[in-house]
Amino acid sequence: MLIKIRKSWEMRESDVTPEALFKNRRQFLKTGAAALAGGLVGGMLSRHAFAAWPGVGEMLGAVGKSKFDPGEELTPWDAVTSYNNFYEFGTDKADPVNTAQDFQTDPWTVEVAGACAKPGRYAFEDLMKPHPLEERIYRHRCVEAWSMVVPWLGVPLADVIKRLEPLGNAKYVAFETLFDPAQMPGQRRDVLAWPYREGLRMDEAMHPLTLLSVGVYGKTLPPQNGAPLRLVMPWKYGFKGIKSIVKITFVEGQPPTSWNMAARHEYGFYANVNPAVDHPRWSQAKERRIGEFRKRDTLPFNGYGDEVAALYADMDLSKFF
Ligand code: MTE
């Protein structure tokens, strides 16, 4: 007999949809009706019906109720989109929302390179459109010891990777953000070695929780959250979630990553959320959920241990932090 054990991120059908999400779904309905009444294509229609990918800030269309939901209160849209780390647009949390609004993300090309059978330059739409969108409500824990709960929209990175047909020697996947100092004022200063770089081991990249996100709260990603395409990995510190991706490379050796290059004793390659391993300058044992006063305990792997701990079973996580 097959007994289905509910994963910690899965919701029961009977679970109540959080209020903010409910409001957001009503907005889906309103936008869809208005779009149809106006003879426009969009709103409630599946994104496959779009002639073009919706622009920044537009609705991505209806997706089913999320199977991935920790059942915690969502962080409001305003906080998710105005308290950001995106150093290309400044180092202050309020900088990205203020300086990224004219960021041009259409057209957008993603270069696929390295050890795979389908390298090339892909229009963003061509890379994403074959895959149905999913909503994933994930805990989002920053290395700076704050956290949020965010309803992302995206596709499993694994689905995109499979289509690119990695070769046997592809042991890691490397990602790069756009380098364009004319548009990204933060890149005119040496805060980090640009472009921003991140990397994953292939099994991490293929893990079902790893999301290539194109939206948040039902809409396309705002520039400050990494439009048009960013990574989301709920069991890792937020800095692994590289924004505005323009390059994906399949490589044999562990790729260099921006924060590790900047301070390798402070930011490891793995960056798994781990309350037992402090940052050299502060504790990682607790976190402040944005909007809350009292700190809460940080969970190993940000609460996703049942799903991902096996990936690191043989590793000393104080060494490979
Ligand atoms: N990606 C790029 N290109 N540049 C950045 O500065 N900051 C990272 C990550 N991705 C960053 C980035 C950090 S430190 C965090 S915590 C998350 O983005 C923040 O994502 P959010 O602003 O959507 O919450």
Side-chain angles (χ1 to χ4, degrees), residues 80 83-88 140 142-144 146 148 152 177 192 196 224-225 230 238-243 259:
V80 172
Y83 188 85
N84 300 103
N85 275 330
F86 199 171
Y87 277 23
E88 286 84 339
H140 177 46
C142 184
V143 73
E144 297 161 313
W146 51 262
M148 298 188 184
W152 302 107
T177 295
L192 288 171
Y196 194 98
Q224 62 272 25
N225 291 90
R230 56 99 47 94
F239 68 85
K240 296 300 279 186
I242 181 171
K243 298 179 170 179
W259 280 103

Side-chain angles (χ1 to χ4, degrees), residues 141 237 265-266 272-280 282-285 316-321:
R141 168 64 157 85
Y237 292 120
H265 299 296
E266 302 193 359
N272 291 320
V273 174
N274 191 345
V277 175
D278 288 342
H279 183 283
W282 60 83
S283 164
Q284 293 292 14
D316 175 353
L317 296 179
S318 60
K319 196 161 158 227
F320 297 98
F321 55 93

